Amino acid sequence: MPDRDTHRAAFPITRMRRMRRDAFSRRMMRETTLTPDDLIYPVFVLEGSGQREAVASMPGVERLSIDLLVEDAIEVQRLGIPAMALFPVTPPEVKSLDACEAFNPDGLAQRAVRALKAAVPDLGIITDVALDPFTTHGQDGLIDETGYVMNDETVEVLVRQAVSHAEAGADIVAPSDMMDGRIGAIRTALEAEGHIHTRILAYSAKYASAYYGPFRDAVGSAGNLGSGNKYNYQMDPANSDEALHEVALDLAEGADMVMIKPGMPYLDIVRRIKDQFGAPTFVYHVSGEYAMLKAASMNGWLDERAVVLEAMVSMKRAGADGILTYYAKDVARWLGR
């Protein structure tokens, strides 16, 4: 194979720093660009009116009641962010072993979707399809007598949950549970119910990561999960080839987009998936990543704006078409300056 750099003359004829000297020439040859169009803003919704609760492990992030969430959504749209991802904080009294609140047509997520679509109809609304906010044990599915998460029985509930979200007006349903076969089952059900335009964002490569702790605090599932883990359905962080198999299956079953989660520790997975499939590929800059950058910045150890923008660009450079991040509003503001 010929050397791709043989056309370059030796130093000093070639001085790579020439193009780096000024801002205008750096901009002219920049390979990766970041805009608000690349962002998805995740939000936590809780019951009540006029309610606002800080998430202690995620400084700057709040749980909001639906009325305040609508106000937040108006700002999100004004900033040019195309979509929000909705995560409900389920009251303990409606959690159950069968997670039936997940598909309640008048459940918190469903009411929030209706309110958001009424107020900001052009803002994309993504809903989380998973059972951990609704189970008494904090697992993403129904369990048997040994505590093992049952696949097929869980998929049946996920289908009902996804359809209820589509009926409420969700633009995108996002199964994040990692059960086998759930994308095909959800796609079939959506088609059967006439929701032919509802998109599926499949969390196809969701790893059993240690970076999710603050999120579980935010949605109130950490206490239910306790010392339990999700190793028997989320992916082993050591595996890369397996992610390709998962993505291939989800695309074949009807996913419109795929998600890799977490973000920065898994950019090699993002690149492999984008190169292999070329499908719309998204990455979740998760709660633990946010918390680390926020804590270091609050302590004066890092320049928050600089490191966050660098993190976002790194995900785009790795092949992500979009980034779900708690920094979305900040990034959009910084880019607008």
Side-chain angles (χ1 to χ4, degrees), residues 159-318:
V159 167
R160 298 181 71 176
Q161 183 184 23
V163 170
S164 76
H165 291 176
E167 289 173 346
D171 300 293
I172 302 172
V173 294
S176 63
D177 56 286
M178 289 301 288
M179 297 299 117
D180 292 334
R182 89 275 204 215
I183 301 302
I186 290 170
R187 174 58 71 203
T188 298
L190 290 173
E191 292 288 324
E193 295 294 329
H195 301 297
I196 62 172
H197 302 301
T198 304
R199 282 136 283 192
I200 297 177
L201 169 57
Y203 284 62
S204 300
K206 181 178 181 179
Y207 285 84
S209 171
Y211 284 88
Y212 302 150
F215 175 91
R216 291 170 183 164
D217 291 339
V219 298
S221 65
N224 299 101
L225 185 62
S227 61
N229 61 67
K230 304 187 177 185
Y231 298 150
N232 64 46
Y233 50 97
Q234 294 179 0
M235 285 182 54
D236 185 337
N239 293 356
S240 176
D241 291 346
E242 183 183 11
L244 301 184
H245 292 299
E246 288 280 9
V247 169
L249 287 166
D250 285 353
L251 290 173
E253 290 177 18
D256 301 288
M257 302 160 274
V258 296
M259 177 77 82
I260 295 89
K261 180 180 180 182
M264 290 181 67
Y266 294 86
L267 295 187
D268 61 316
I269 308 300
V270 177
R271 171 48 61 195
R272 288 195 70 188
I273 286 171
K274 190 62 179 179
D275 286 347
Q276 179 76 20
F277 300 100
T281 302
F282 293 79
V283 65
Y284 198 144
H285 185 236
V286 299
S287 59
E289 297 174 78
Y290 171 89
M292 289 192 303
L293 293 179
K294 180 64 73 170
S297 301
M298 291 172 68
N299 277 283
W301 299 333
L302 292 173
D303 178 330
E304 185 173 26
R305 173 174 172 164
V307 295
V308 170
L309 290 177
E310 185 176 339
M312 298 298 108
V313 168
S314 75
M315 295 180 211
K316 281 292 300 293
R317 190 185 65 240

Side-chain angles (χ1 to χ4, degrees), residues 28-250:
M28 288 170 61
M29 72 170 194
R30 185 162 292 150
E31 299 173 27
T32 304
T33 57
L34 180 72
T35 78
D37 290 340
D38 299 315
L39 306 172
I40 300 168
Y41 184 50
V43 292
F44 301 106
V45 59
L46 53 82
E47 291 285 6
S49 177
Q51 298 297 305
R52 184 188 301 273
E53 295 179 356
V55 179
S57 56
M58 300 175 70
V61 174
E62 297 177 312
R63 308 175 189 92
L64 301 174
S65 54
I66 292 175
D67 55 327
L68 298 183
L69 184 64
V70 167
E71 295 177 9
D72 204 29
I74 293 170
E75 181 188 13
V76 167
Q77 186 175 55
R78 180 185 61 78
L79 289 169
I81 298 168
M84 286 173 53
L86 189 63
F87 298 94
V89 181
T90 307
E93 61 269 18
V94 296
K95 296 187 179 189
S96 62
L97 286 172
D98 62 3
C100 62
E101 184 66 15
F103 53 84
N104 179 358
D106 293 316
L108 179 57
Q110 290 82 352
R111 283 182 280 119
V113 169
R114 289 194 289 269
L116 290 168
K117 293 309 295 183
V120 279
D122 294 330
L123 182 67
I125 302 300
I126 304 170
T127 57
D128 184 47
V129 177
L131 304 186
D132 51 325
F134 307 96
T135 57
T136 51
H137 43 71
Q139 295 288 357
D140 291 43
L142 308 186
I143 59 174
D144 64 17
E145 63 279 1
T146 71
Y148 182 77
V149 174
M150 300 181 290
N151 193 90
D152 298 5
E153 293 83 352
T154 295
V155 169
E156 292 178 9
V157 183
L158 294 171
V159 167
R160 298 181 71 176
Q161 183 184 23
V163 170
S164 76
H165 291 176
E167 289 173 346
D171 300 293
I172 302 172
V173 294
S176 63
D177 56 286
M178 289 301 288
M179 297 299 117
D180 292 334
R182 89 275 204 215
I183 301 302
I186 290 170
R187 174 58 71 203
T188 298
L190 290 173
E191 292 288 324
E193 295 294 329
H195 301 297
I196 62 172
H197 302 301
T198 304
R199 282 136 283 192
I200 297 177
L201 169 57
Y203 284 62
S204 300
K206 181 178 181 179
Y207 285 84
S209 171
Y211 284 88
Y212 302 150
F215 175 91
R216 291 170 183 164
D217 291 339
V219 298
S221 65
N224 299 101
L225 185 62
S227 61
N229 61 67
K230 304 187 177 185
Y231 298 150
N232 64 46
Y233 50 97
Q234 294 179 0
M235 285 182 54
D236 185 337
N239 293 356
S240 176
D241 291 346
E242 183 183 11
L244 301 184
H245 292 299
E246 288 280 9
V247 169
L249 287 166
D250 285 353

